[in-house]
Amino acid sequence: MGDSSGTTSETTDAALISRWVSGDQRAATALVERHAQSVAQFVVSLGERERTEELVQDTFVRAFQAIETFRSDSLFRTWLFTIAKRLVLDHRRSERRRRDDVEVQEDHLVVSFDALDGMVGDERMQQVWRAMQGLSPMQREVFTLRVTEGLPYNEIAQMVGSSAGACRVHYHNALKTIKERVTDA
Amino acid sequence: MHECEDVRMQEALPAFRAGRLDAAEAEAVRTHLASCEVCTRELELLTTAQAVLDQATPVVDAARIAAAVIGASAKAERAPVAAPRVITLRTRRWWASRQLLAAAASILVVVSLSIPALRGTGHAPAVDGRLDSMVAAEMTGGQGGHAVAPSIDLAGGLADLSSAQLETFLKELDQVEATVRAEPATIALPLIDSPELL
């Protein structure tokens, strides 16, 4: 098992949260070190590469301020992703209001990946990257959560506010699109 | 590309790649991959997608973020929960007068209830005069006690007292010791020698 579940042989997420609530500051550091990069990756997949670290920090600050509301039957990392997504949407809404006073819907999670073309290494990776640009925001979010975290559809559904069946369809449509756009895939 | 017919194995690929399967499930996927080119290629694609996201994601400073979390938490703890309530002198006086009134009312109720009760006690054939002497004895602290002789005639009960008498009585009550004796004063009962009661 990977460490994404927070139930490795090391201290579990739940145990670290208990230690933090008891006043152990090192527990907070351990939790941040364990999950920060995954949250950052999720934020990037939502198209917020420029403000990644700021959003990741805000996510953790919000999470630790509301740690009493965290239900131990769900994954801490999944909870962090939910908070991060809410922050991204809030940021987009306020940005959009500032620009043209138009309400942003969830579908407006448009990612501008163009600037990242030069960062992705070989030809095959660039093809995958461009193929991911062509996905709808919902497809990209479901695909990212499924690939990077290996989450089951029901957990993804809770995060994106959809059904498990719909998420399954989004994932397979995303996979099909990428396969079609990548040679030898 | 053809599709894999083992849907369960194909669906397990993301969790396998992310290391979320237990040992037995992971071994089953490995066995399947050894004979399925479609799933092997799909797994390679998923691995490439992960690598793309890894490369596109800036490395965040976890130590700095942790420090911000701890700092924000400490700041929240220092913040006052609620503004302290301001008690003015006027409010304090109002409460003090209310407390005095309540205390006076309590004393009146207790005394007015206890005197008729003592009068009606079956095995204490006290007449008014004797009861008054008992009350007086209690108020003087019994034999040898400090004399606080009641100046008010309570024979008619508290209801018959005027406001001035009541005020005087309350003042005298204030001088009586708050602690009552555990044993009541002995009452000299008349000998009952009636043959029909024996």
Side-chain angles (χ1 to χ4, degrees):
Chain A
M1 295 284 286
D3 65 349
S4 59
S5 64
T7 55
T8 58
S9 56
E10 313 165 46
T11 313
T12 62
D13 286 349
L16 286 170
I17 290 167
S18 294
R19 279 170 46 190
W20 162 256
V21 171
S22 305
D24 184 356
Q25 295 187 345
R26 289 171 303 174
T29 305
L31 283 165
V32 172
E33 285 175 351
R34 180 178 289 179
H35 298 293
Q37 202 57 35
S38 294
V39 176
Q41 198 162 79
F42 179 66
V43 168
V44 168
S45 79
L46 295 177
E48 290 290 344
R49 192 176 188 282
E50 295 304 313
R51 300 179 63 242
T52 302
E53 183 145 335
E54 181 189 343
L55 283 163
V56 173
Q57 178 176 309
D58 288 351
T59 299
F60 277 99
V61 169
R62 292 274 183 97
F64 278 87
Q65 282 174 346
I67 202 80
E68 286 81 9
T69 65
F70 171 66
R71 296 200 322 256
S72 56
D73 57 341
S74 60
L75 289 176
F76 184 60
R77 187 177 292 182
T78 309
W79 190 57
L80 291 172
F81 286 172
T82 308
I83 296 170
K85 185 182 175 185
R86 206 175 299 142
L87 285 171
V88 168
L89 287 171
D90 287 348
H91 169 70
R92 297 244 173 106
R93 287 191 182 103
S94 60
E95 284 289 305
R96 181 63 73 95
R97 278 199 204 99
R98 218 172 7 238
R99 277 205 308 268
D100 52 14
D101 202 26
V102 173
E103 178 68 19
V104 176
Q105 302 300 319
E106 194 146 331
D107 291 345
H108 292 160
L109 277 172
V110 179
V111 184
S112 55
F113 284 129
D114 296 341
L116 298 176
D117 278 353
M119 297 177 190
V120 176
D122 62 22
E123 175 63 25
R124 184 178 165 81
M125 287 175 78
Q126 286 196 12
Q127 285 180 347
V128 172
W129 185 242
R130 290 196 193 100
M132 288 174 71
Q133 288 182 60
L135 301 177
S136 72
M138 179 65 96
Q139 283 177 342
R140 191 181 307 112
E141 191 177 348
V142 171
F143 181 77
T144 302
L145 289 169
R146 186 105 172 110
V147 172
T148 61
E149 300 298 320
L151 293 176
Y153 294 120
N154 58 346
E155 280 188 34
I156 296 173
Q158 284 178 2
M159 288 183 59
V160 302
S162 184
S163 67
C167 287
R168 190 173 190 275
V169 170
H170 286 309
Y171 172 73
H172 282 283
N173 285 341
L175 196 59
K176 188 179 172 212
T177 302
I178 294 170
K179 280 178 181 175
E180 286 170 354
R181 295 180 185 183
V182 176
T183 53
D184 299 328
Chain B
M1 183 192 291
H2 300 291
E3 288 300 311
C4 174
E5 291 180 357
D6 193 338
V7 176
R8 195 176 65 87
M9 282 296 129
Q10 200 169 17
E11 287 289 350
L13 291 177
F16 175 75
R17 199 217 59 75
R20 293 176 65 92
L21 298 181
D22 63 32
E25 290 170 330
E27 187 53 36
V29 172
R30 270 191 286 271
T31 303
H32 174 74
L33 287 170
S35 61
C36 180
E37 192 183 344
V38 173
C39 283
T40 301
R41 285 193 174 200
E42 188 166 307
L43 181 62
E44 285 173 5
L45 184 65
L46 299 182
T47 305
T48 303
Q50 175 68 68
V52 165
L53 284 167
D54 284 344
Q55 206 162 333
T57 304
V59 177
V60 293
D61 187 345
R64 199 183 63 77
I65 293 170
V69 166
I70 292 165
S73 173
K75 193 176 174 185
E77 281 176 11
R78 284 197 302 270
V81 176
R85 188 179 165 206
V86 177
I87 300 174
T88 61
L89 186 60
R90 188 175 175 179
T91 311
R92 210 175 290 149
R93 281 180 182 157
W94 183 81
W95 271 108
S97 63
R98 296 274 294 188
Q99 286 170 334
L100 276 175
L101 276 174
S106 301
I107 290 168
L108 275 175
V109 168
V110 168
V111 171
S112 61
L113 288 175
S114 61
I115 289 175
L118 281 170
R119 279 179 177 164
T121 305
H123 58 271
V127 292
D128 286 349
R130 195 184 291 175
L131 177 68
D132 289 346
S133 65
M134 285 164 58
V135 172
E138 282 296 322
M139 293 185 72
T140 54
Q143 292 113 351
H146 300 291
V148 187
S151 58
I152 309 297
D153 181 12
L154 294 172
L158 289 172
D160 292 345
L161 298 181
S162 68
S163 298
Q165 285 175 317
L166 198 58
E167 194 174 333
T168 308
F169 178 65
L170 284 174
K171 280 179 186 169
E172 287 175 354
L173 269 182
D174 283 342
Q175 296 173 45
V176 177
E177 287 180 24
T179 309
V180 296
R181 285 179 300 206
E183 293 296 326
T186 52
I187 300 169
L189 295 175
L191 287 172
I192 301 172
D193 52 2
S194 175
E196 60 268 22
L197 293 175
L198 294 174

